[in-house]
């Protein structure tokens, strides 16, 4: 089998069609909704524009997605203290609990899979994925599309951050946690 097809299988396994799908379905959450919730977990107080940029969708699409999650009691809107016309988004206690539960379950499942691999294969996988990302992230435009927008969870050694430093001379996140190119 070709490497391209093998990588497609891996994406399918990790994305909606595999591991995450079962967990998300139990909570009646789509993958896109989970990504939105996770963004707000990592970036509390985000604006609608920041959410739209993170998801790679239009503002109307982000507005609809946020509204659905507000109606389900998972997301809250609050006025910006500096600009009353702007709304800040955050997770409710129920939303935080759901993201924590889903993230933990997914990490446990992935750890169990990786744990079944021989140690030399685990090391090879880690090195191979890092090398693949370093080779693939060769255009500044890709950085925002691939970035997880992990905010407070940001790691300076992240392959996207390293590619940003290599391509633009700047980290993907500025000091204080704001993302390069993120819009309000």
């Amino acid at each position: 089998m070709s490497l391209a097809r093998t990588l497609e299988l891996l994406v399918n396994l990790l994305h909606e069609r595999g591991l995450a799908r079962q967990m998300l379905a139990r909570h009646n959450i789509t993958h896109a909704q989970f990504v939105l919730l996770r963004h707000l977990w990592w970036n509390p107080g985000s604006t609608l524009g920041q959410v739209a940029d993170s998801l790679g969708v239009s503002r109307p699409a982000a507005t609809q997605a946020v509204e659905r999650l507000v109606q389900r009691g998972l997301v809250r809107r609050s006025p910006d203290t500096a600009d009353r016309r702007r709304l800040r988004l955050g997770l409710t206690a129920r939303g935080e609990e759901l993201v924590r539960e889903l993230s933990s379950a997914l990490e446990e499942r992935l750890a169990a899979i990786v744990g079944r691999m021989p140690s030399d294969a685990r090391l090879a996988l880690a090195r191979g994925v890092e090398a693949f990302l370093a080779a693939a992230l060769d255009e500044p435009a890709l950085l925002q599309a691939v970035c997880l927008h992990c905010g407070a969870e940001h790691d300076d050694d992240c392959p996207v951050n390293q590619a940003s430093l290599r391509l633009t001379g700047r980290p993907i996140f500025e000091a204080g946690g704001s993302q390069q190119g993120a819009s309000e």
Side-chain angles (χ1 to χ4, degrees):
M1 180 178 280
S2 73
L3 179 58
R5 290 200 67 192
T6 301
L7 289 173
E8 279 188 76
L9 290 172
L10 179 61
V11 168
N12 281 348
L13 175 68
L14 296 175
H15 200 260
E16 258 185 273
R17 297 175 186 103
L19 299 175
R21 181 181 183 198
Q22 298 161 353
M23 289 181 286
L24 296 173
R26 261 185 267 135
H27 295 280
N28 196 27
I29 296 287
T30 67
H31 186 263
Q33 289 172 328
F34 176 66
V35 170
L36 191 157
L37 292 168
R38 191 179 58 188
H39 174 84
L40 293 176
W41 168 272
W42 286 332
N43 301 279
S46 291
T47 64
L48 188 61
Q50 290 166 332
V51 168
D53 290 347
S54 173
L55 298 177
V57 299
S58 68
R59 287 181 191 225
T63 299
Q64 287 180 340
V66 166
E67 180 59 30
R68 283 187 205 104
L69 294 171
V70 167
Q71 289 175 1
R72 291 187 60 189
L74 301 172
V75 172
R76 62 175 164 65
R77 294 187 207 107
S78 306
D80 186 315
T81 56
D83 182 352
R84 291 281 210 198
R85 296 169 295 171
R86 181 176 297 159
L87 292 174
R88 295 289 176 173
L89 303 170
L91 297 177
T92 63
R94 214 171 120 216
E96 286 182 15
E97 182 181 326
L98 179 62
V99 172
R100 191 177 0 262
E101 179 184 334
L102 290 171
S103 295
S104 178
L106 186 56
E107 283 181 32
E108 287 174 17
R109 288 191 74 184
L110 291 173
I113 292 167
V114 172
R116 291 192 297 263
M117 296 171 61
S119 62
D120 59 331
R122 284 193 302 267
L123 183 57
L125 175 65
R127 287 182 178 159
V129 170
E130 288 175 10
F132 179 86
L133 289 170
L137 296 172
D138 61 351
E139 299 174 29
L142 284 174
L143 301 177
Q144 290 298 325
V146 173
C147 185
L148 294 174
H149 308 280
C150 57
E153 299 284 324
H154 173 72
D155 180 350
D156 288 339
D157 293 330
C158 167
V160 175
N161 192 59
Q162 292 301 309
S164 182
L165 289 169
R166 186 178 72 249
L167 296 170
T168 70
R170 295 183 317 213
I172 194 77
F173 279 86
E174 293 290 347
S178 66
Q179 187 162 21
Q180 296 282 356
S183 69
E184 296 285 320

